[in-house]
Amino acid sequence: MKNIYGVTYLELENYFLEKNDKKFKATQVFDWVYKKRINSFDEMRNVSKETINTMKSDFYFEKLEIIDKREDTDVAKYLFKLKDKEKVEAVLMYHDYGTSICISTQVGCNMGCKFCESGRLKKVRNLEVYEMVSQILMVEEDINMRISHIVLMGIGEPFDNYDNVIKFIDIVNCGKGIDIGSRHITVSTCGIVPKIKEFTNYDKQVNLAISLHAPNNKIRDSIMNINKVYKIEDIIDVVKEYINKTNRRVTFEYIMLKNINDSVSCAEELSALLKGLNCYVNLIPYNETSHIEYKKSDKDTILKFYDILKKNNIGVTIRREFGSKVNAACGQLRSHYEEV
Ligand code: SAH
């Protein structure tokens, strides 16, 4: 038995073909499940009883349970309980251009970034495809509104759960279903180079963001364990390959950590590193968390850093701060519940 929310459109077409049935039934089923949002096979009024009975023996409907919701201006944070009682979170943000949701891809994370709350609690398991799709469906149901943008920046490392993440993107992007445009979907990775390489060949125009957070290996080594495996040069090389192949602009995320990576010389070094690349830098004011000693950079320091990148012709934005009151930093709400 498979959860229906974990099945891609192509898989469903193949399912019907294998049953010697018509593949257009996949269109009907996706329409009921994702356009009309029904919750059981019996509601599929234009599908034959026979097909419904067959499907009932192979698939089931089940979403997650919302166990907490916290709201602040323009932001809502959801905590979900999974079947095995594990918890993950998603953050909904309201912008002038629409609504975005930041979803989790794993329970915990093994990447061990020193500043990150999610990594404090080690990875328990990957999320199943349906568990990622459910986060979207349940939040849309809760707000009674469609979400326009998805970022895979919640708990977990998407490229450490690559196959499920790709299936998830296939499902939410499918025009017969949820239909969120690929340009409205962003995957963020701490820099797993072989997976970035693989992603270079992915045929959808999904955005790629890379958590760089440092202009050199010395600083990066001290805050991100992954840098012991894949160095900054390896990342830049694979990003060049990605840009050449896809013609797409890459985002580099850069958390501003007080006295760690926020100096003038860091800004100059970062500018030199990224010079000529089709990219931009998203400066992220660090969301402080009680368990971790890093502090966020002062506003003036962030602005100075921004100006230096600008002056060096590097595209740069400063991320708007959301929801520090609702524990919106990656992994904070879950960690609050798993208090150790
Ligand atoms: N593992 C992926 C995606 C999840 S983290 C990645 O590393 O990109 C999403 C982003 O939030 C990353 O850039 C991460 O470094 C950043 N982040 C983690 N903790 C944060 C905090 N306390 N404040 C601000 N950003 C944080």
Side-chain angles (χ1 to χ4, degrees), residues 176-210:
K176 312 260 187 191
I178 301 175
D179 197 16
I180 294 179
S182 53
R183 288 185 178 82
H184 287 190
I185 302 173
T186 302
V187 182
S188 176
T189 176
C190 65
I192 302 185
V193 169
K195 291 297 172 189
I196 300 175
K197 217 179 172 80
E198 197 172 336
F199 194 65
T200 299
N201 295 314
Y202 183 50
D203 59 2
K204 292 192 190 296
Q205 310 244 301
V206 170
N207 304 306
L208 176 65
I210 296 186

Side-chain angles (χ1 to χ4, degrees), residues 109 111 113 115-117 152-158 188-190 209-211 213 224 253 255 284-289 319 329-330 332:
C109 183
M111 298 301 119
C113 300
F115 46 80
C116 178
E117 189 69 18
L152 284 83
M153 294 186 187
I155 300 171
E157 166 52 45
S188 176
T189 176
C190 65
I210 296 186
S211 298
H213 305 329
M224 296 176 77
E253 294 156 276
I255 298 184
I284 309 174
Y286 182 58
N287 214 328
E288 293 175 9
T289 121
R319 185 179 290 173
C330 188
Q332 279 185 354

Side-chain angles (χ1 to χ4, degrees), residues 23 33 36 66 91 123 129 166 176 190 216 238 241 244 260 272 297 322 333:
K23 68 176 186 184
V33 174
K36 303 197 175 73
I66 295 178
V91 183
K123 175 171 113 179
V129 180
I166 294 295
K176 312 260 187 191
C190 65
N216 59 47
V238 79
E241 203 177 316
N244 281 338
I260 303 284
S297 306
F322 275 103
L333 192 57

Side-chain angles (χ1 to χ4, degrees), residues 25-48:
K25 291 204 171 158
T27 303
Q28 293 182 323
V29 172
F30 256 55
D31 191 67
W32 283 110
V33 174
Y34 293 118
K35 300 275 193 218
K36 303 197 175 73
R37 302 283 163 104
I38 51 101
N39 292 303
S40 71
F41 289 108
D42 292 323
E43 294 168 75
M44 299 182 177
R45 277 180 281 104
N46 61 352
V47 180
S48 71

Side-chain angles (χ1 to χ4, degrees), residues 158-173:
F159 282 178
D160 187 35
N161 186 14
Y162 190 85
D163 295 347
N164 285 350
V165 160
I166 294 295
K167 276 192 186 180
F168 161 77
I169 296 173
D170 284 349
I171 292 173
V172 294
N173 175 240

Side-chain angles (χ1 to χ4, degrees), residues 7 14-15 32 36 54 56 79 81 86 126 134 161 163 189 193 196 205 218 265 270 298 301 311 315 317 328 334:
V7 184
N14 286 332
Y15 168 81
W32 283 110
K36 303 197 175 73
T54 318
K56 274 183 181 170
L79 189 71
K81 188 155 102 189
E86 294 295 346
N126 284 331
S134 293
N161 186 14
D163 295 347
T189 176
V193 169
I196 300 175
Q205 310 244 301
K218 186 157 179 269
S265 72
L270 184 65
D298 304 327
T301 312
K311 182 197 80 193
T317 49
R334 167 169 178 263

